[in-house]
Amino acid sequence: MIEKSLVLVKPDAVGRGLSGAIISRLENTGMALIALKMLHMDQALAKRHYAPHKERPFFNGLIGFITSGPVVAAVFEGDDAVSVIRTAMGATDPAKAATGSIRNDFGLDIERNAVHGSDSVQTATHEIGLYFTDTELMRYTRKE
Ligand code: IDP
Ligand code: MG
């Protein structure tokens, strides 16, 4: 199934000059990069993005972290994009993420884990709408 996934290069990775490397790894999965921007999330956007976690003990820290500096927001599209992107990212905790995954190579700890990727098609639709309008999503065919 052709799917879309919303990706964020998080402030820890942007701040260490890893934006290009992370976007490049995701392009190397074969998914098409169809939207890209930088922004500095405010509290309201951060709370909307992470609303499913609002009861978790790490919520306030997470909002502080994700608003601590600019992020790169991107949309990738392709066959099984949600799971392809999640596999390339690796597990939430960089120490437990697979060797060669983005989080294992670039993540600092379970919070500052370099990258976000949507966890389902439904979540992706919602998350993409937080960052991009329809006209900001490009339409083209990704070649090998
Ligand atoms: P995911 O990003 O792999 O989907 P989630 O469980 O959805 O992981 O958590 C969202 C984000 O919250 C994580 O990417 C990470 O930045 C942060 N986070 C998750 N668990 C913890 C924790 O135990 N302590 C601090 N931050 C956490
Ligand atoms: Mg998640």
Side-chain angles (χ1 to χ4, degrees), residues 10 50 53 56 58 62 65 86 89-92 103 110-113 115-117 119:
K10 296 183 179 181
Y50 282 121
H53 295 299
R56 307 278 285 275
F58 57 82
L62 179 58
F65 161 61
R86 295 279 292 189
M89 284 165 44
T92 308
R103 284 168 162 173
I110 195 167
E111 179 179 81
R112 298 176 297 164
N113 58 7
V115 67
H116 166 86
D119 64 9

Side-chain angles (χ1 to χ4, degrees), residues 33-141:
L33 176 63
I34 62 162
L36 187 68
K37 67 170 66 163
M38 289 191 84
L39 70 151
H40 194 135
M41 292 166 73
D42 63 16
Q43 295 270 321
L45 176 57
K47 286 178 179 166
R48 287 180 77 194
H49 180 101
Y50 282 121
H53 295 299
K54 63 177 183 295
E55 307 300 339
R56 307 278 285 275
F58 57 82
F59 181 72
N60 288 338
L62 179 58
I63 298 305
F65 161 61
I66 206 71
T67 60
S68 68
V71 300
V72 176
V75 180
F76 283 90
E77 182 180 61
D79 209 21
D80 296 324
V82 167
S83 66
V84 167
I85 296 289
R86 295 279 292 189
T87 299
M89 284 165 44
T92 308
D93 184 350
K96 295 179 183 155
T99 303
S101 66
I102 293 168
R103 284 168 162 173
N104 187 259
D105 285 342
F106 299 134
L108 296 173
D109 54 46
I110 195 167
E111 179 179 81
R112 298 176 297 164
N113 58 7
V115 67
H116 166 86
S118 304
D119 64 9
S120 71
V121 170
Q122 190 186 353
T123 307
T125 302
H126 171 68
E127 290 179 347
I128 290 166
L130 296 177
Y131 298 89
F132 296 100
T133 63
D134 266 2
T135 55
E136 290 177 317
L137 305 180
M138 302 298 117
R139 288 168 177 80
Y140 69 99
T141 304

Side-chain angles (χ1 to χ4, degrees), residues 23-31 142:
I23 296 296
S24 182
R25 287 209 188 184
L26 295 174
E27 285 191 295
N28 287 344
T29 65
M31 300 297 103
R142 166 73 199 258

